[in-house]
Amino acid sequence: MAEQNSYEQECERAELLGITPPNKEEFERKQKERLEHELAEREAAEAIVLDEQDESLRGASGKLDELNSILSSTQQRLNRFKQTACGSLTNIFARGGSFTAGSGSSTDVPGGAGDESAERPVQKQPESITPPTAEQVSAAKAAQRQKMDGQLDKLDAMIHKAEHAELAMGQQTKQMRRLAK
């Protein structure tokens, strides 16, 4: 009914301007082309937003990888410090005969630097001048769905990395407090 009103309004406009009224089939064809063009523009805008989100996810994921790498190197330094400081203390006590202790066990936190989310290749939507067919639209939607699924997988990997970093920081904090006493 909205199309009928638009066509009727266009006929009234033509009558007021004194021009010939538009052909109904021609008007409907132009309206359909305009709607398809608007749809294509909307999908292109959504694709741009998805690309920006993907880039943002890559940046955040890289920063989490860097944090996990720093935590891994900090854990290695803590372990070396424990070996040198605590190892010499146990040697002193062992020589004195008043205390014999085995080497203290240290807990290593596996480094998160090796955790990289597998990126799936993303199919780009081809740009075409002609209006997209139903098959092209469904292919574009499938590609967009695939890209969104990839972003969800990246978010899951980032959550895993953040949880790992949180656990590692807590464990290292406890170790440093024990060493400071």
Side-chain angles (χ1 to χ4, degrees):
M1 180 151 179
E3 290 180 11
Q4 278 292 347
N5 288 338
S6 297
Y7 177 72
E8 289 175 4
Q9 288 173 352
E10 195 66 26
C11 288
E12 289 174 3
R13 183 178 154 277
E15 184 180 324
L16 288 173
L17 293 174
I19 57 176
T20 60
N23 183 0
K24 184 163 181 135
E25 292 86 27
E26 182 70 20
F27 176 78
E28 288 175 354
R29 185 184 59 80
K30 284 183 182 180
Q31 178 125 5
K32 182 180 176 186
E33 287 176 1
R34 183 178 52 81
L35 291 174
E36 287 175 350
H37 182 28
E38 288 175 2
L39 178 66
E41 285 179 351
R42 195 174 328 124
E43 288 176 352
E46 289 174 0
I48 289 171
V49 168
L50 282 174
D51 287 340
E52 290 171 353
Q53 288 174 348
D54 194 39
E55 185 65 32
S56 175
L57 285 174
R58 272 191 236 122
S61 181
K63 289 178 183 177
L64 280 172
D65 286 339
E66 183 180 348
L67 176 63
N68 281 324
S69 175
I70 291 169
L71 287 170
S72 177
S73 67
T74 304
Q75 184 64 46
Q76 290 173 354
R77 289 180 182 166
L78 278 171
N79 290 340
R80 274 187 259 142
F81 179 75
K82 280 197 267 183
Q83 286 175 353
T84 56
C86 296
S88 61
L89 287 176
T90 55
N91 288 340
I92 291 171
F93 288 128
R95 287 186 199 147
S98 61
F99 178 75
T100 49
S103 62
S105 64
S106 62
T107 56
D108 287 340
V109 176
D115 291 340
E116 293 184 17
S117 60
E119 294 186 25
R120 297 180 195 161
V122 179
Q123 181 181 3
K124 296 283 185 178
Q125 178 180 357
E127 293 185 26
S128 60
I129 297 173
T130 60
T133 63
E135 187 176 299
Q136 290 172 334
V137 169
S138 64
K141 286 184 180 181
Q144 193 174 32
R145 225 176 286 118
Q146 181 182 7
K147 194 171 197 176
M148 291 175 84
D149 288 345
Q151 286 183 351
L152 287 175
D153 290 343
K154 286 180 186 178
L155 280 173
D156 287 342
M158 287 173 54
I159 289 170
H160 175 70
K161 289 176 188 177
E163 288 172 348
H164 173 75
E166 183 180 11
L167 291 172
M169 284 191 286
Q171 185 179 17
Q172 288 177 9
T173 302
K174 286 179 185 177
Q175 288 177 359
M176 287 189 277
R177 285 184 182 150
R178 275 188 261 141
L179 289 174
K181 290 182 179 181

